[in-house]
Amino acid sequence: MSSTLAPPSPRGAPIIGNIREIQRDNIGAFMSAFRDHGDVIRFKGPLKIDLFAHPDHVKRVLQDEHRNYPRPVKVQGCLQTIVGTGLVAAEGGFWRRSRRLAQPAFHREVLEQFADTFVQGTAELIESWERKVDSGTPIDVKSAMMNLSLTNLARALFRTDWSTEFGQIEPAVAEALRYTHKRMTSPVDPYKIPGPARNRFDGALKTINSVLYPLIEERRRNGGSDDLVSLLLNAKDDESGTTFTDDQIRDEVSGFFVAGHETVSSAFTWTWYLLSRNPDVWRKVRAEAIEVLGDRTPTVADLPKLTYTTMVLQESMRLYPPIFVYMRCADQDDEVGGFHIPKGRWVVVCPYVTHRHPDFWENPDGFDPERFTPERMAARHRMAYLPFGAGPRKCIGDSFAMVQMPLAVAMIARRFRLDLVDGQTVVPEPAISLRPRDPLYMRLRSAEEAH
Ligand code: HEM
């Protein structure tokens, strides 16, 4: 007989249940409910969600029974307003076709061709920092990393520099994400209420389109370049014979901005934060950079040798997973961990919680890159670590991130030490990605002198 048992719930207010805590600090609410109630938790109120923390349950939802757990229609709808038919929001047969079409452009070997582009973007950043080294003038690392990840993304997608578009697209994407997060967590859809907030959001979408459409059109006209958009324009699905239309390409590309810009910059930013708090780890990253790269410009051949740097990034994404909730909805009744999950229930996997599950992580709040040695990784439950998600909807851009990030971190750590400016309270802000809420000020020191 299947279970009729309901999962335990944190105490909540009458009618509104736990919505206040979730809206105020969703990660804090999830962590404290996990500590108090264990692996399956039911939140009450207008946001009816069940949180699954155990890797076995995560595997069931994202992989084994993924057909029973599509994205909630509301989440899909909110994402569709920005990315239309793009992978990020698509479902079913349409999603499968698009994923097949886009996948070859995201193979690691293809993305490795952009290593020189990423190295160049990082070299330019280092150059711009040279003037500030030892000057005592703090830099905002969060904003610098947003610029670096956007530069790298734009150059890989279009081989363009975006000197003029840069100032427009960055706030537009941020505005679109902020508003979408609010929509997803509000019981009443703010998009249905005309007013300044909605106007700002519509304006942001217009800006994104006004930058993307001409670039796509220009690629379609001229063709034959080696950027990612050209690869997508030329992609053909062998099974169905379909290709992407211009509108679909626009949708996919805006999805890459939504999914691939803040995520990468958030991983970079937390990494600098953690390295500033753990100077011994920074020393090891720098020692590896010197040993592998010497003082020459890195190439893609160096990537597999940057093992410690890669482990540091993995550990940074364990503590601060850039996307911190994966939302699904039970299509049919299910039983998970001995509890009844009714049809229609929203189910949340929160990697921030699973990545700190004490059954799988010793000293879960500690920063220890050695957790990611191949031996220790092989001994661990495969779903205890999932910054890029899991199952068929796993991130398509994981290699994009894991090619650019180790190269950039190694290059920067070889040249600079970044010290957190005293007196800042660093608070993670869970919007759509998990970033420090405020600017993150650091002082640059020449690595040689700081060592
Ligand atoms: C550190 C960087 C990144 C992290 C942590 C990350 C994380 C994720 C996660 C967790 C998902 C799945 C969400 C879910 O199951 O609900 C996802 C999906 C996706 N990501 Fe990433 N991502 C990163 C970088 C990128 C980049 C650079 C791109 C593109 C250039 C990208 C494009 C996408 C797309 C298109 C999807 C939707 C895939 C689908 O549903 O088929 N991501 N990402």
Side-chain angles (χ1 to χ4, degrees), residues 53-61 64 360 381 383:
H54 195 284
D56 283 348
H57 308 333
V58 168
K59 182 166 179 282
R60 181 174 182 85
V61 170
D64 300 344
F360 303 92
H381 194 307
M383 294 281 169

Side-chain angles (χ1 to χ4, degrees), residues 125 129 132 137-147 269 272 418 421 424 435-444:
L125 173 74
W129 278 358
K132 298 190 178 137
T137 315
I139 47 158
D140 173 7
V141 170
K142 180 169 122 178
S143 147
M145 293 300 119
M146 287 288 274
N147 286 359
T269 305
W272 294 117
L418 278 72
V421 172
Q424 294 178 91
R435 301 192 298 161
R437 189 190 56 200
D438 307 307
L440 189 68
Y441 290 111
M442 295 200 172
R443 285 204 176 82
L444 291 168

